[in-house]
Amino acid sequence: MALDKPVKTDIETQEADAAVTGLSDHALIEQTKSGDEAAFAEIVNRYRNPLTNYLFRMLNDYEEAVDLAQETFVRVFFAIERYHTDYAFSTYIYRIATNLAISEIRRRKRRRLMSLTGFFQNEGEEADFHPPDKKPLADAAMLEDEQKEIIARAIATLPDKYRAPIVLRDIEGLSYEEIAGVMRLGLGTTKSRISRARGLLKEKLKNYFEFEI
Amino acid sequence: MNSNNLQNLRKDAEFSDSSERKISEIVGTLERVSAPNDFNFRVKAKIAEEKGTSKNAYRHWLRYVLPVGAAAFVLVFGLYAFNFFQTAVPYEQAENVEPAKVEEIRTPAAEKTPDNTFVAESNTARTADLPADSVIQSNTQPKITAEKPIFTADKSARKKSEIQAKNTPEDTFKGSRDLAREPVSVQILPTGIEPDKSIPPTEGVGNSGKTNIVELLNFVGAEIVTEAGKMKVKSVRQNTLAERAGVKAGDVVESFDEQKSDGNSNSANIGGARKLVVSREGKLHTFDLKLN
């Protein structure tokens, strides 16, 4: 999988070792196992932006997406001895990020259920333990028109099992095989879920876009 | 991901209709977000924080071990409290319930004593329901003549029943616990007397069924043989009354308790002090043997 390499700042360039920039993911993993911190820093540099973007589209919350992306790298670092090179590293790290994102989504659902059964909640008054982020999103400035925000929110309302495949496919550009590896699904199931996710999005966006029937 | 690859992917025959292709294109138009500049620094800080193993162990203790321990403590305490109150409730209920109601609660086989003390149904009352062979086995066991009441109608009746239980005759059945409570009488024997050792019949004297001088002296530790109609000390056992008194082997018994030793004199009484006179090398020696 070809991933866009992030633009490094001066500080990050100083941190990254020039000797590891041309190495493959597996070579970086091996060097990290031997204690090379520069190799792990290069892994972080390669995947921090794709992971942050993927998690942001999954959660529609930039701060939470950044936190989960960092947590993903922490888990990779501590489980690096158990990593096998049978799979692509991108599949491995996206799987960790997907699991974290799904856990966070389910945690939010539980909080929402708790709010429905709150003892101090008056009838008709909406109380939420995890209130929505009212402040402008970090990338809201980049969303030039209202349509993009609507699309982002529509994606965020998809069920977990449909949201991750369509984000990985249409936003991150992973192949069906890679998505099947990340989701631990069969190839046919993966294609079916992506198609189903597009159908659900079409239903949600039909009031904003014109589709040919 | 460069845009050419994405476009190539979308050119694949993966869309069922044009609307699905359009949705894919719309989703693909969303702009990408980037990680903040301090992302690497924060990742390093988190890794350093996670490396604090002692802190992690403390978190695990709080998260898993402590709740499990607390649950186990509550369970044990609950069981203890349940047992405590379960045993206490029948006794307290019996105090507050009127006698007539208590009689209704009791089983039909329960016996009613004149002093309003209700005796629980004994095991022997149920033998009719048991098979014949089991009844025979139960008959071989000691018969229970009195049973301790379980429920009493009021305090006075309960005290009466307790007094009756204390005044139970000795021939009634007692369990091992009752026997263990009774004081054991210890008989203190004088030193030199071996209570477990039976007195062997003396040679030449015979066992007439009566205690004679030979047997008495043998009892106190001096073995007597009869030679020419006279009793002679053959040997003296160590740590016996005869040895401590000074009797020695070879002494000839002249008299015992002021009775001549003709070998046939009987002495039925072995209590109190006895005076033994022996001749040793032509001289008479007198020993006081205090048997009691």
mmCIF file of all heavy atoms in Angstrom, chain A residues 97-124:
data_model
loop_
_atom_site.group_PDB
_atom_site.id
_atom_site.type_symbol
_atom_site.label_atom_id
_atom_site.label_comp_id
_atom_site.label_asym_id
_atom_site.label_seq_id
_atom_site.Cartn_x
_atom_site.Cartn_y
_atom_site.Cartn_z
ATOM 1 N N ALA A 97 -6.073 0.210 15.149
ATOM 2 C CA ALA A 97 -6.819 1.470 15.183
ATOM 3 C C ALA A 97 -8.318 1.231 15.060
ATOM 4 O O ALA A 97 -9.125 1.894 15.740
ATOM 5 C CB ALA A 97 -6.322 2.380 14.058
ATOM 6 N N THR A 98 -8.698 0.264 14.222
ATOM 7 C CA THR A 98 -10.123 -0.033 14.059
ATOM 8 C C THR A 98 -10.720 -0.552 15.363
ATOM 9 O O THR A 98 -11.822 -0.156 15.766
ATOM 10 C CB THR A 98 -10.310 -1.068 12.945
ATOM 11 O OG1 THR A 98 -9.739 -0.554 11.737
ATOM 12 C CG2 THR A 98 -11.777 -1.378 12.726
ATOM 13 N N ASN A 99 -9.990 -1.451 16.025
ATOM 14 C CA ASN A 99 -10.497 -1.978 17.295
ATOM 15 C C ASN A 99 -10.663 -0.873 18.326
ATOM 16 O O ASN A 99 -11.656 -0.846 19.071
ATOM 17 C CB ASN A 99 -9.554 -3.058 17.817
ATOM 18 C CG ASN A 99 -9.574 -4.309 16.952
ATOM 19 O OD1 ASN A 99 -10.554 -4.568 16.254
ATOM 20 N ND2 ASN A 99 -8.501 -5.077 16.997
ATOM 21 N N LEU A 100 -9.685 0.019 18.391
ATOM 22 C CA LEU A 100 -9.795 1.130 19.345
ATOM 23 C C LEU A 100 -10.983 2.023 19.003
ATOM 24 O O LEU A 100 -11.721 2.466 19.898
ATOM 25 C CB LEU A 100 -8.501 1.946 19.340
ATOM 26 C CG LEU A 100 -7.291 1.294 20.010
ATOM 27 C CD1 LEU A 100 -6.042 2.136 19.785
ATOM 28 C CD2 LEU A 100 -7.534 1.135 21.497
ATOM 29 N N ALA A 101 -11.166 2.283 17.710
ATOM 30 C CA ALA A 101 -12.275 3.157 17.306
ATOM 31 C C ALA A 101 -13.621 2.522 17.628
ATOM 32 O O ALA A 101 -14.527 3.191 18.141
ATOM 33 C CB ALA A 101 -12.167 3.453 15.810
ATOM 34 N N ILE A 102 -13.748 1.219 17.353
ATOM 35 C CA ILE A 102 -15.019 0.550 17.642
ATOM 36 C C ILE A 102 -15.288 0.522 19.143
ATOM 37 O O ILE A 102 -16.424 0.710 19.591
ATOM 38 C CB ILE A 102 -15.003 -0.868 17.034
ATOM 39 C CG1 ILE A 102 -15.044 -0.775 15.506
ATOM 40 C CG2 ILE A 102 -16.170 -1.696 17.532
ATOM 41 C CD1 ILE A 102 -14.903 -2.101 14.800
ATOM 42 N N SER A 103 -14.227 0.304 19.914
ATOM 43 C CA SER A 103 -14.407 0.331 21.368
ATOM 44 C C SER A 103 -14.880 1.692 21.831
ATOM 45 O O SER A 103 -15.763 1.803 22.701
ATOM 46 C CB SER A 103 -13.089 -0.035 22.062
ATOM 47 O OG SER A 103 -12.689 -1.330 21.724
ATOM 48 N N GLU A 104 -14.312 2.739 21.258
ATOM 49 C CA GLU A 104 -14.718 4.087 21.645
ATOM 50 C C GLU A 104 -16.166 4.363 21.233
ATOM 51 O O GLU A 104 -16.933 4.976 21.993
ATOM 52 C CB GLU A 104 -13.774 5.100 20.990
ATOM 53 C CG GLU A 104 -14.154 6.553 21.214
ATOM 54 C CD GLU A 104 -14.138 6.942 22.683
ATOM 55 O OE1 GLU A 104 -13.423 6.272 23.454
ATOM 56 O OE2 GLU A 104 -14.842 7.904 23.048
ATOM 57 N N ILE A 105 -16.548 3.896 20.056
ATOM 58 C CA ILE A 105 -17.933 4.106 19.607
ATOM 59 C C ILE A 105 -18.908 3.395 20.533
ATOM 60 O O ILE A 105 -19.945 3.949 20.925
ATOM 61 C CB ILE A 105 -18.083 3.604 18.164
ATOM 62 C CG1 ILE A 105 -17.303 4.512 17.208
ATOM 63 C CG2 ILE A 105 -19.532 3.557 17.754
ATOM 64 C CD1 ILE A 105 -17.143 3.930 15.818
ATOM 65 N N ARG A 106 -18.565 2.174 20.933
ATOM 66 C CA ARG A 106 -19.455 1.431 21.837
ATOM 67 C C ARG A 106 -19.500 2.078 23.213
ATOM 68 O O ARG A 106 -20.535 2.078 23.875
ATOM 69 C CB ARG A 106 -18.978 -0.017 21.938
ATOM 70 C CG ARG A 106 -19.230 -0.776 20.653
ATOM 71 C CD ARG A 106 -18.659 -2.174 20.700
ATOM 72 N NE ARG A 106 -18.909 -2.875 19.447
ATOM 73 C CZ ARG A 106 -18.360 -4.034 19.111
ATOM 74 N NH1 ARG A 106 -17.506 -4.624 19.942
ATOM 75 N NH2 ARG A 106 -18.637 -4.623 17.963
ATOM 76 N N ARG A 107 -18.355 2.621 23.631
ATOM 77 C CA ARG A 107 -18.348 3.315 24.924
ATOM 78 C C ARG A 107 -19.261 4.537 24.876
ATOM 79 O O ARG A 107 -19.970 4.825 25.839
ATOM 80 C CB ARG A 107 -16.919 3.716 25.278
ATOM 81 C CG ARG A 107 -16.773 4.229 26.684
ATOM 82 C CD ARG A 107 -15.361 4.095 27.207
ATOM 83 N NE ARG A 107 -14.366 4.560 26.257
ATOM 84 C CZ ARG A 107 -13.396 3.798 25.783
ATOM 85 N NH1 ARG A 107 -13.287 2.566 26.175
ATOM 86 N NH2 ARG A 107 -12.533 4.276 24.913
ATOM 87 N N ARG A 108 -19.264 5.217 23.769
ATOM 88 C CA ARG A 108 -20.153 6.377 23.632
ATOM 89 C C ARG A 108 -21.611 5.940 23.650
ATOM 90 O O ARG A 108 -22.466 6.610 24.229
ATOM 91 C CB ARG A 108 -19.850 7.098 22.323
ATOM 92 C CG ARG A 108 -18.547 7.853 22.326
ATOM 93 C CD ARG A 108 -18.374 8.577 21.014
ATOM 94 N NE ARG A 108 -17.108 9.295 20.960
ATOM 95 C CZ ARG A 108 -16.738 10.044 19.933
ATOM 96 N NH1 ARG A 108 -17.530 10.157 18.889
ATOM 97 N NH2 ARG A 108 -15.584 10.678 19.947
ATOM 98 N N LYS A 109 -21.888 4.799 23.016
ATOM 99 C CA LYS A 109 -23.269 4.309 23.026
ATOM 100 C C LYS A 109 -23.717 3.988 24.440
ATOM 101 O O LYS A 109 -24.857 4.262 24.827
ATOM 102 C CB LYS A 109 -23.389 3.067 22.145
ATOM 103 C CG LYS A 109 -23.362 3.374 20.658
ATOM 104 C CD LYS A 109 -23.515 2.081 19.864
ATOM 105 C CE LYS A 109 -23.478 2.368 18.370
ATOM 106 N NZ LYS A 109 -23.515 1.119 17.574
ATOM 107 N N ARG A 110 -22.800 3.366 25.209
ATOM 108 C CA ARG A 110 -23.169 3.036 26.596
ATOM 109 C C ARG A 110 -23.443 4.298 27.390
ATOM 110 O O ARG A 110 -24.372 4.360 28.193
ATOM 111 C CB ARG A 110 -22.051 2.221 27.243
ATOM 112 C CG ARG A 110 -22.035 0.762 26.829
ATOM 113 C CD ARG A 110 -21.233 -0.061 27.803
ATOM 114 N NE ARG A 110 -19.851 0.358 27.855
ATOM 115 C CZ ARG A 110 -18.906 -0.129 27.062
ATOM 116 N NH1 ARG A 110 -19.199 -1.049 26.175
ATOM 117 N NH2 ARG A 110 -17.660 0.295 27.177
ATOM 118 N N ARG A 111 -22.626 5.304 27.185
ATOM 119 C CA ARG A 111 -22.848 6.566 27.897
ATOM 120 C C ARG A 111 -24.188 7.166 27.507
ATOM 121 O O ARG A 111 -24.898 7.721 28.334
ATOM 122 C CB ARG A 111 -21.733 7.546 27.573
ATOM 123 C CG ARG A 111 -20.412 7.178 28.218
ATOM 124 C CD ARG A 111 -19.322 8.075 27.717
ATOM 125 N NE ARG A 111 -18.027 7.715 28.252
ATOM 126 C CZ ARG A 111 -16.874 8.160 27.764
ATOM 127 N NH1 ARG A 111 -16.870 8.966 26.731
ATOM 128 N NH2 ARG A 111 -15.744 7.801 28.315
ATOM 129 N N ARG A 112 -24.543 7.018 26.244
ATOM 130 C CA ARG A 112 -25.811 7.553 25.806
ATOM 131 C C ARG A 112 -26.965 6.797 26.462
ATOM 132 O O ARG A 112 -27.957 7.374 26.881
ATOM 133 C CB ARG A 112 -25.918 7.437 24.277
ATOM 134 C CG ARG A 112 -26.687 8.578 23.642
ATOM 135 C CD ARG A 112 -26.518 8.550 22.149
ATOM 136 N NE ARG A 112 -25.180 8.918 21.719
ATOM 137 C CZ ARG A 112 -24.453 8.231 20.846
ATOM 138 N NH1 ARG A 112 -24.922 7.138 20.311
ATOM 139 N NH2 ARG A 112 -23.255 8.645 20.512
ATOM 140 N N LEU A 113 -26.806 5.455 26.605
ATOM 141 C CA LEU A 113 -27.833 4.680 27.284
ATOM 142 C C LEU A 113 -27.931 5.069 28.743
ATOM 143 O O LEU A 113 -29.016 5.154 29.313
ATOM 144 C CB LEU A 113 -27.519 3.183 27.151
ATOM 145 C CG LEU A 113 -27.768 2.580 25.782
ATOM 146 C CD1 LEU A 113 -27.295 1.132 25.754
ATOM 147 C CD2 LEU A 113 -29.250 2.651 25.447
ATOM 148 N N MET A 114 -26.787 5.301 29.376
ATOM 149 C CA MET A 114 -26.802 5.725 30.774
ATOM 150 C C MET A 114 -27.537 7.043 30.919
ATOM 151 O O MET A 114 -28.274 7.259 31.888
ATOM 152 C CB MET A 114 -25.378 5.866 31.297
ATOM 153 C CG MET A 114 -24.692 4.549 31.589
ATOM 154 S SD MET A 114 -22.987 4.812 32.059
ATOM 155 C CE MET A 114 -23.205 5.794 33.531
ATOM 156 N N SER A 115 -27.351 7.917 29.975
ATOM 157 C CA SER A 115 -28.004 9.213 30.084
ATOM 158 C C SER A 115 -29.520 9.075 29.998
ATOM 159 O O SER A 115 -30.266 9.833 30.593
ATOM 160 C CB SER A 115 -27.517 10.137 28.973
ATOM 161 O OG SER A 115 -27.982 9.683 27.724
ATOM 162 N N LEU A 116 -29.994 8.035 29.294
ATOM 163 C CA LEU A 116 -31.437 7.836 29.191
ATOM 164 C C LEU A 116 -32.032 7.353 30.504
ATOM 165 O O LEU A 116 -33.200 7.581 30.794
ATOM 166 C CB LEU A 116 -31.738 6.811 28.084
ATOM 167 C CG LEU A 116 -31.425 7.279 26.670
ATOM 168 C CD1 LEU A 116 -31.666 6.147 25.685
ATOM 169 C CD2 LEU A 116 -32.305 8.473 26.296
ATOM 170 N N THR A 117 -31.220 6.673 31.282
ATOM 171 C CA THR A 117 -31.727 6.147 32.539
ATOM 172 C C THR A 117 -31.254 6.957 33.732
ATOM 173 O O THR A 117 -31.310 6.486 34.860
ATOM 174 C CB THR A 117 -31.261 4.695 32.708
ATOM 175 O OG1 THR A 117 -29.836 4.674 32.644
ATOM 176 C CG2 THR A 117 -31.830 3.817 31.636
ATOM 177 N N GLY A 118 -30.786 8.177 33.491
ATOM 178 C CA GLY A 118 -30.285 8.985 34.592
ATOM 179 C C GLY A 118 -31.382 9.344 35.577
ATOM 180 O O GLY A 118 -32.517 9.623 35.196
ATOM 181 N N PHE A 119 -31.020 9.320 36.845
ATOM 182 C CA PHE A 119 -32.017 9.582 37.876
ATOM 183 C C PHE A 119 -32.389 11.068 37.952
ATOM 184 O O PHE A 119 -33.486 11.417 38.335
ATOM 185 C CB PHE A 119 -31.489 9.114 39.230
ATOM 186 C CG PHE A 119 -31.350 7.642 39.325
ATOM 187 C CD1 PHE A 119 -30.110 7.037 39.276
ATOM 188 C CD2 PHE A 119 -32.471 6.836 39.445
ATOM 189 C CE1 PHE A 119 -29.981 5.672 39.368
ATOM 190 C CE2 PHE A 119 -32.346 5.472 39.540
ATOM 191 C CZ PHE A 119 -31.096 4.887 39.499
ATOM 192 N N PHE A 120 -31.445 11.909 37.636
ATOM 193 C CA PHE A 120 -31.684 13.331 37.807
ATOM 194 C C PHE A 120 -32.126 14.003 36.516
ATOM 195 O O PHE A 120 -32.130 15.199 36.403
ATOM 196 C CB PHE A 120 -30.411 14.012 38.312
ATOM 197 C CG PHE A 120 -29.916 13.404 39.578
ATOM 198 C CD1 PHE A 120 -28.826 12.551 39.568
ATOM 199 C CD2 PHE A 120 -30.552 13.654 40.778
ATOM 200 C CE1 PHE A 120 -28.372 11.981 40.731
ATOM 201 C CE2 PHE A 120 -30.099 13.089 41.941
ATOM 202 C CZ PHE A 120 -29.003 12.241 41.927
ATOM 203 N N GLN A 121 -32.487 13.155 35.553
ATOM 204 C CA GLN A 121 -32.874 13.726 34.281
ATOM 205 C C GLN A 121 -34.365 14.006 34.273
ATOM 206 O O GLN A 121 -35.183 13.145 34.566
ATOM 207 C CB GLN A 121 -32.526 12.752 33.151
ATOM 208 C CG GLN A 121 -32.877 13.295 31.784
ATOM 209 C CD GLN A 121 -32.539 12.298 30.715
ATOM 210 O OE1 GLN A 121 -32.034 11.237 31.001
ATOM 211 N NE2 GLN A 121 -32.820 12.653 29.491
ATOM 212 N N ASN A 122 -34.738 15.241 33.953
ATOM 213 C CA ASN A 122 -36.149 15.578 33.853
ATOM 214 C C ASN A 122 -36.700 15.127 32.516
ATOM 215 O O ASN A 122 -35.962 14.968 31.536
ATOM 216 C CB ASN A 122 -36.345 17.088 34.003
ATOM 217 C CG ASN A 122 -35.907 17.556 35.371
ATOM 218 O OD1 ASN A 122 -36.046 16.821 36.361
ATOM 219 N ND2 ASN A 122 -35.345 18.750 35.423
ATOM 220 N N GLU A 123 -37.982 14.931 32.498
ATOM 221 C CA GLU A 123 -38.603 14.448 31.267
ATOM 222 C C GLU A 123 -38.495 15.518 30.178
ATOM 223 O O GLU A 123 -38.824 16.678 30.407
ATOM 224 C CB GLU A 123 -40.069 14.116 31.528
ATOM 225 C CG GLU A 123 -40.710 13.365 30.387
ATOM 226 C CD GLU A 123 -42.123 12.945 30.737
ATOM 227 O OE1 GLU A 123 -42.507 13.137 31.892
ATOM 228 O OE2 GLU A 123 -42.816 12.435 29.857
ATOM 229 N N GLY A 124 -38.046 15.099 29.037
ATOM 230 C CA GLY A 124 -37.912 16.021 27.931
ATOM 231 C C GLY A 124 -36.590 16.746 27.900
ATOM 232 O O GLY A 124 -36.253 17.397 26.908
#
